[in-house]
Amino acid sequence: MAILEVQGVEKIYTTRFGGNQVQALSDVHFSVEQGEYVAVMGESGSGKTTLLNILAALDKPTKGDVLLNGNPLSKISDKSLAAFRRENLGFVFQNFNLLDNFTLRDNIFLPLVLAGMQYDDMEKRLQPMAKVLGIHELLNKFPYEVSGGQQQRAAIARAIITEPKLLLADEPTGALDSKSTDSLLDVFSKLNAGGQTIVMVTHSVKAASRAGRVLFIKDGVIFHQIYRGDASNDAFYQRISDTLTRMMSDSLQGGEQDA
Amino acid sequence: MRKFFYARLAADNLKKNRRTYLPYLISGSVTCAMLYIICSLSLNDGLQNLQKGSVILPVILRIGTCIAMFFAAIFLFYTNSFLMKHRRKEFGLYQLLGMEKRHLARVLFFETVYTLLITMLFGLAAGMLLDKLMYMLVLRIMGGISDAQIPLGFSFNGFALLWVTAFFGIVFFLIFLNAVRIVRFTKPISMLSQANAGEREPKTKIIMAILGVILLGTGYTMSICARNSELILKLMLPAVLSVIVGTYFLFMAGSIALLKLLKKNKSFYYKTRHFTAVSGMIYRMKQNAVGLAGICILSTMVLVMISSTTCMMIGMDDLLKTMFAREVTVTKICEPDEESDFVSKINTALAQKDIEPENAVTYFRFSKACSFTDGKFIDYIADRYSDENAPLFLSVTANNFYADMTGISIPLEKNEILLAGNAALPTLRHQTEICGQKFTIRQLTEPIRGYNNSEQNVLAVVSDSDVLKALAKTDNKNIEYIYAFDMPEERTAEIFGDMFTRWEDEALMERFDHANIDCRNEYRTEYISVFGGLFFIALFLGVLFTVQMVLMIYYKQISEGHDDRSRYVIMQNVGMSLGEVRQTIRSQILTVFFLPLVTAAIHTVFCIPVIKTVLSEMELINLKLTYLILGITFIVFSILYALIYAATAKIYYRIVSSRTAEAA
């Protein structure tokens, strides 16, 4: 059964004084199955961040709807939106978005505290997870005392400690060096192997090549998608890379035709 | 064109930073105007020649000017260093773009000159416009003189102008030097990255926190223990200093220690309500403790000054009534067996002017220095080697005086006396001896205000004037004949002349048998110039402090807003609704801003014993009135504070919400 269904989503931004209209998303359809690991690729300005914001219920589509577990997001009232997000979605951001005035532990606990959970229960959830993520010895440190990779792992812990139905990641490796990127991608793969559904927006072919399926977005529409099947990481990497090259040459030709 | 480059850049900088510079300029101008006004008032000839009694007023105003200048300098300096700190990033950028430090200094120089010019221009203009108004206000407070007597028009005081210009010149020069110092000792890279550096969690300074508690406790204890003016003079400075330092320590270290303690309590800390609040407050207190403690001290000063001087102003008539039961009091000192006809002489003199004395009374009284030993009042023999045996001043008076003063008449037998009670006489018995004559103490009563407020003064009331005269005779003491009566107060000067000249006027004194004449309204003039002067200074400093406080609160709101906007965004991403985020942050902001007010209220409460003692030494003890005025002052001040808060909070929300929208 599809955990996430995106049905004909369109998003038009109107500039502040009503002058220009910018079409960020034209007509996006796709669905994500339970336990899938999907990467969304596209250039800057292709609309992928807009798409993610709509999936995260941070933004509303102009047309169309998003269904999570069969529930349309548009039906959720503004009041219960925050709670809905907290209970169903987990977020990982490019710049980690950890609060500087909290230790890693408190950062991870934040959504649970908001949900009103008891301290002992939170600690029970955290311990095994921290071991898996390799941050169990850093829990009492502040974000500025640990490396970027460690901060991002803490951010992942914060995202999944609520046991969300869907984990959304926005360029999670964007601010990391290659070694941290590798270990972070391993974490994602491990989580996915454990049954976690993941949707990741990324620039990086390397990050995308670890996913089970890659969606290519261009000029506000899903342009193409490829499945890993039983290809190895390297083979999948090659296929993604080829697809991107083809997309690029298409748009180059398109540009020439226009001229 | 190049010549004007720095001058232009400086002007642009001020324009660009107008959100922070405009309030600075406004408060600077207000300060300038106020300094000009108080300076010009203290140098005002009209005020000096106003009444002979008010020689003290210009002195009070001059002292007030010094205090106001001192605080104004501190405020201007403090505000400017706040502005500079917020512009570090900008300075870093200029340096990265290739500007040298001496170029920056040149820009800063122009900026300082502009600020100085704008401040002085508006300040002096406003000062000169309002000068006359303030002059009228002072006269109003002093009473008596109607506005019509003041020449209308524009007055201009060259000396005041000179003083204020010199003051601002020096302060702004120092401000400029400080700005250059800030730029000089900061590396461009650290200027740029300063905003991004993670804020460290403050350490618990447990010693400082404990010291703060001890200092505050000491200050409070001193205030409670200061029961007389001598002690107050001794303890005033240490008490005030320890409360100020204690407040700073508690705000800086105590608050953080408390919050950390709360944080350690896991079942308390990990609750939706407390989680973000406690950890947020730790950082807020770290950044704002100094400013908040300053606001708290200022508020306390305003509260105490305004309320105590208001008490003086309002209680003054009360005081005068107890000191002088009638409008005119004539005292003649005679030999014990000499009868004086001064009463009839005065009545004749009054009749010539068509004045009928009303409520006239005659008292007798004599005083002597005594020691109280073995339950007897015996003649005091000076013992220069011992301070222990200080003399008691015994005033003996007849029953009609007591009844007149208190409205209570207690019938006394010839051998009975009343003693107006006094803690210095713990061994008082039922029998006592005065001037070798035995008396039974009928009753110990409360001291009569204005006559025996101090521990050294004892009032003995005997049954009638014959007993009193007999006593004085055996002791060979002079008796004071007191004739007190009411008459229209506006005519006292016409009949008795002026307080300072009548003693020289031999002919005038001859008419009144060389008696001593005290007119209540003459004392009122004297008192008004002291109390009124203090009241005016208190109002003045109160306004000055409030202006500074508004500025401090405004800047705090801005810096809080900038610090909070990223927090807002992250918390929303983690699943807090906008409403929840607003609510937690609002409650923190409220705590931060109302903590100083609450602390100021506590300080003021602990200041009450001192105020009470000072006022009662000045015979102004009217407790109900004192509390009422304190209460009203506090309420008015709180309302003002809340208004300031509400007005500045808008700016905070604008900063926070604009960034939220941008980031989402």
Side-chain angles (χ1 to χ4, degrees):
Chain A
M1 180 214 160
I3 192 165
L4 179 76
E5 269 180 83
V6 179
Q7 301 175 336
V9 163
E10 180 185 303
K11 179 72 189 178
I12 298 170
Y13 286 111
T14 311
T15 46
R16 212 187 197 166
F17 300 106
N20 298 328
Q21 290 199 333
V22 179
Q23 183 134 28
L25 296 174
S26 307
D27 186 19
V28 178
H29 287 276
F30 70 94
S31 61
V32 177
E33 299 296 318
Q34 169 76 45
E36 238 192 318
Y37 183 0
V38 178
V40 179
M41 290 197 79
E43 289 174 59
S44 308
S46 60
K48 56 186 190 318
T49 304
T50 308
L51 178 65
L52 197 79
N53 281 342
I54 289 173
L55 296 186
L58 285 168
D59 207 346
K60 285 195 163 144
T62 319
K63 223 193 246 171
D65 208 347
V66 176
L67 279 73
L68 191 72
N69 253 0
N71 300 317
L73 293 186
S74 59
K75 292 284 184 311
I76 299 166
S77 71
D78 283 346
K79 259 190 193 167
S80 46
L81 206 57
F84 172 84
R85 217 181 284 146
R86 199 162 60 216
E87 282 155 19
N88 297 292
L89 301 170
F91 300 94
V92 180
F93 304 90
Q94 177 174 2
N95 52 359
F96 323 137
N97 271 355
L98 295 174
L99 288 165
D100 259 348
N101 57 355
F102 281 129
T103 57
L104 295 189
R105 169 183 276 109
D106 289 351
N107 263 298
I108 297 167
F109 281 167
L110 185 59
L112 294 185
V113 173
L114 292 177
M117 194 183 256
Q118 288 299 313
Y119 174 72
D120 292 337
D121 298 336
M122 294 194 271
E123 199 63 46
K124 260 179 226 152
R125 269 202 201 184
L126 176 64
Q127 282 313 325
M129 187 188 295
K131 285 224 175 76
V132 172
L133 292 169
I135 51 168
H136 56 287
E137 275 164 2
L138 304 172
L139 289 174
N140 287 328
K141 302 233 180 228
F142 284 89
Y144 49 81
E145 294 174 321
V146 303
S147 74
Q150 288 161 338
Q151 286 188 53
Q152 193 61 301
R153 272 182 268 163
I156 294 175
R158 180 181 64 186
I160 60 174
I161 199 160
T162 53
E163 293 162 2
K165 297 192 174 67
L166 182 63
L167 178 64
L168 295 169
D170 185 3
E171 297 276 12
T173 59
L176 300 181
D177 59 75
S178 67
K179 204 173 152 220
S180 307
T181 301
D182 285 340
S183 72
L184 193 87
L185 290 173
D186 289 342
V187 167
F188 272 110
S189 299
K190 235 190 272 177
L191 290 175
N192 182 240
Q196 178 71 54
T197 317
I198 302 173
V199 174
M200 169 166 69
V201 165
T202 184
H203 254 113
S204 152
V205 180
K206 193 200 223 170
S209 70
R210 305 287 286 265
R213 172 161 61 121
V214 182
L215 297 173
F216 297 91
I217 189 165
K218 191 183 157 192
D219 298 333
V221 290
I222 302 288
F223 172 83
H224 190 60
Q225 63 170 330
I226 52 176
Y227 284 88
R228 170 197 290 274
D230 42 14
S232 71
N233 282 346
D234 287 342
F236 197 42
Y237 184 101
Q238 200 51 51
R239 281 174 60 199
I240 297 167
S241 190
D242 290 346
T243 314
L244 281 174
T245 318
R246 216 172 57 236
M247 264 170 83
M248 208 129 85
S249 62
D250 278 2
S251 61
L252 276 177
Q253 277 164 14
E256 274 163 65
Q257 276 161 12
D258 279 350
Chain B
M1 217 47 223
R2 265 198 80 178
K3 249 198 325 201
F4 297 113
F5 173 70
Y6 295 108
R8 271 213 194 159
L9 188 63
D12 278 348
N13 280 347
L14 291 189
K15 249 183 258 167
K16 214 167 46 200
N17 288 307
R18 62 180 174 279
R19 201 188 254 180
T20 46
Y21 265 84
L22 195 65
Y24 176 55
L25 289 173
I26 292 174
S27 78
S29 303
V30 172
T31 310
C32 176
M34 295 190 75
L35 285 182
Y36 173 79
I37 289 170
I38 195 169
C39 217
S40 127
L41 282 179
S42 72
L43 297 167
N44 190 317
D45 291 336
L47 223 51
Q48 276 176 37
N49 302 332
L50 184 66
Q51 308 135 322
K52 293 223 170 49
S54 66
V55 278
I56 193 134
L57 182 63
V59 176
I60 292 177
L61 285 174
R62 241 164 262 173
I63 295 171
T65 313
C66 292
I67 297 173
M69 280 188 168
F70 174 73
F71 279 108
I74 290 181
F75 293 145
L76 287 168
F77 209 78
Y78 175 86
T79 321
N80 192 267
S81 56
F82 172 89
L83 290 179
M84 282 298 145
K85 271 182 201 145
H86 270 245
R87 290 181 59 194
R88 279 194 177 167
K89 214 171 178 178
E90 187 184 327
F91 294 137
L93 187 64
Y94 280 137
Q95 290 188 49
L96 278 188
L97 293 176
M99 221 184 238
E100 286 169 39
K101 279 177 179 168
R102 65 197 167 92
H103 298 138
L104 265 182
R106 213 176 292 178
V107 175
L108 285 173
F109 172 76
F110 279 109
E111 284 182 19
T112 316
V113 169
Y114 293 152
T115 357
L116 177 64
L117 286 180
I118 296 172
T119 308
M120 295 281 295
L121 194 73
F122 285 99
L124 287 177
M128 284 172 195
L129 281 176
L130 294 174
D131 190 21
K132 196 111 229 176
L133 208 68
M134 281 295 149
Y135 181 42
M136 286 180 192
L137 179 72
V138 175
L139 291 181
R140 215 7 104 65
I141 292 175
M142 299 303 140
I145 307 278
S146 69
D147 297 342
Q149 281 167 267
I150 308 165
L152 278 176
F154 208 58
S155 75
F156 169 77
N157 194 317
F159 276 111
L161 186 72
L162 209 68
W163 269 107
V164 174
T165 313
F167 170 78
F168 270 82
I170 292 169
V171 170
F172 272 78
F173 182 66
L174 290 176
I175 283 175
F176 168 65
L177 288 185
N178 184 47
V180 171
R181 186 188 63 89
I182 288 177
V183 171
R184 169 148 281 166
F185 291 104
T186 344
K187 290 183 192 124
I189 189 72
S190 71
M191 279 182 166
L192 274 175
S193 59
Q194 203 160 39
N196 300 328
E199 183 92 38
R200 307 241 148 214
E201 190 180 57
K203 290 204 173 70
T204 319
K205 294 173 192 134
I206 195 78
I207 295 172
M208 204 182 185
I210 293 172
L211 217 62
V213 173
I214 292 173
L215 279 171
L216 203 63
T218 317
Y220 284 172
T221 316
M222 281 183 196
S223 162
I224 294 170
C225 292
R227 281 184 197 280
N228 58 52
S229 55
E230 210 178 316
L231 266 174
I232 287 180
L233 279 180
K234 257 190 234 158
L235 295 178
M236 182 77 166
L237 196 65
V240 169
L241 283 182
S242 63
V243 167
I244 290 178
V245 176
T247 308
Y248 272 95
F249 280 12
L250 273 186
F251 271 73
M252 288 194 287
S255 59
I256 288 170
L258 178 72
L259 288 166
K260 288 231 171 161
L261 213 64
L262 290 179
K263 202 171 164 180
K264 277 204 184 121
N265 181 353
K266 294 214 169 2
S267 56
F268 175 87
Y269 178 54
Y270 289 103
K271 285 275 176 301
T272 317
R273 268 216 187 144
H274 309 140
F275 190 54
T276 45
V278 171
S279 58
M281 281 301 288
I282 289 180
Y283 285 84
R284 267 177 231 280
M285 285 317 293
K286 183 192 171 192
Q287 288 158 354
N288 295 319
V290 175
L292 293 177
I295 293 175
C296 170
I297 298 291
L298 285 186
S299 310
T300 313
M301 283 178 171
V302 172
L303 282 172
V304 170
M305 276 189 322
I306 302 267
S307 55
S308 54
T309 51
T310 312
C311 278
M312 288 180 192
M313 280 301 277
I314 295 181
M316 190 178 58
D317 272 328
D318 240 23
L319 162 63
L320 284 164
K321 286 220 171 84
T322 48
M323 283 180 70
F324 304 101
R326 305 288 189 276
E327 183 58 41
V328 179
T329 309
V330 188
T331 314
K332 172 88 181 164
I333 299 167
C334 306
E335 295 292 316
D337 45 3
E338 181 193 2
E339 283 293 338
S340 172
D341 57 350
F342 81 109
V343 171
S344 60
K345 276 192 176 176
I346 285 168
N347 281 344
T348 320
L350 290 174
Q352 281 168 6
K353 301 271 183 184
D354 277 336
I355 290 172
E356 180 86 19
E358 286 166 46
N359 297 325
V361 276
T362 320
Y363 317 124
F364 300 94
R365 186 169 68 189
F366 75 93
S367 324
K368 60 181 289 183
C370 286
S371 299
F372 187 72
T373 36
D374 297 335
K376 297 172 186 171
F377 291 95
I378 54 166
D379 283 356
Y380 175 72
I381 300 149
D383 178 0
R384 68 167 77 184
Y385 300 110
S386 158
D387 285 341
E388 300 268 310
N389 189 20
L392 292 174
F393 292 100
L394 180 72
S395 299
V396 183
T397 176
N399 206 359
N400 75 327
F401 168 78
Y402 183 77
D404 192 53
M405 289 307 292
T406 59
I408 305 164
S409 101
I410 302 165
L412 288 176
E413 297 290 323
K414 290 257 180 214
N415 62 345
E416 286 180 329
I417 57 165
L418 294 177
L419 279 180
N422 176 326
L425 304 174
T427 56
L428 209 54
R429 298 170 197 172
H430 288 295
Q431 288 286 330
T432 188
E433 229 178 84
I434 296 174
C435 307
Q437 206 161 321
K438 285 198 167 71
F439 286 101
T440 309
I441 298 168
R442 174 71 187 269
Q443 211 169 330
L444 289 171
T445 63
E446 287 295 305
I448 299 179
R449 293 171 57 194
Y451 287 87
N452 57 344
N453 55 308
S454 129
E455 309 236 309
Q456 300 304 323
N457 290 340
V458 179
L459 183 74
V461 181
V462 296
S463 59
D464 56 47
S465 51
D466 293 337
V467 177
L468 179 111
K469 279 180 193 166
L471 264 183
K473 207 164 184 174
T474 54
D475 217 39
N476 208 19
K477 281 276 172 204
N478 288 342
I479 295 182
E480 291 173 68
Y481 285 72
I482 300 163
Y483 178 46
F485 56 88
D486 281 333
M487 62 171 278
E489 63 167 58
E490 62 276 9
R491 295 194 63 187
T492 54
E494 172 198 340
I495 292 160
F496 300 111
D498 177 76
M499 175 188 225
F500 294 92
T501 54
R502 69 172 159 251
W503 288 100
E504 270 107 62
D505 190 343
E506 190 59 35
L508 188 73
M509 289 317 292
E510 187 64 35
R511 272 168 65 202
F512 301 120
D513 205 14
H514 288 271
N516 187 15
I517 297 159
D518 290 316
C519 303
R520 197 200 279 152
N521 69 338
E522 285 173 347
Y523 282 86
R524 179 179 293 123
T525 318
E526 188 81 344
Y527 275 53
I528 279 179
S529 54
V530 178
F531 293 163
L534 288 175
F535 180 63
F536 179 75
I537 293 288
L539 271 184
F540 187 89
L541 289 177
V543 172
L544 189 70
F545 287 176
T546 311
V547 169
Q548 295 309 323
M549 217 171 58
V550 174
L551 198 69
M552 270 176 156
I553 293 177
Y554 176 81
Y555 285 141
K556 285 269 157 286
Q557 296 270 24
I558 290 185
S559 59
E560 292 280 288
H562 284 289
D563 290 344
D564 282 346
R565 70 195 170 208
S566 58
R567 240 168 262 158
Y568 257 78
V569 176
I570 295 176
M571 287 200 215
Q572 281 180 73
N573 287 339
V574 177
M576 225 174 178
S577 69
L578 192 63
E580 279 173 317
V581 176
R582 279 234 167 121
Q583 212 216 317
T584 53
I585 291 189
R586 178 180 294 172
S587 72
Q588 288 177 46
I589 294 270
L590 279 176
T591 318
V592 164
F593 282 100
F594 285 90
L595 194 65
L597 188 65
V598 172
T599 320
I602 297 171
H603 283 354
T604 312
V605 166
F606 275 97
C607 200
I608 287 177
V610 175
I611 297 177
K612 238 162 71 181
T613 314
V614 171
L615 291 179
S616 72
E617 299 255 328
M618 295 168 88
E619 319 272 347
L620 284 167
I621 194 68
N622 183 342
L623 276 185
K624 243 190 226 162
L625 184 75
T626 311
Y627 292 140
L628 187 72
I629 289 171
L630 268 172
I632 291 175
T633 319
F634 184 71
I635 290 168
V636 170
F637 186 76
S638 306
I639 292 172
L640 191 71
Y641 193 95
L643 286 178
I644 296 169
Y645 168 76
T648 51
K650 271 188 199 156
I651 292 144
Y652 170 85
Y653 282 112
R654 203 162 62 204
I655 294 173
V656 172
S657 53
S658 74
R659 298 300 173 125
T660 315
E662 223 167 82

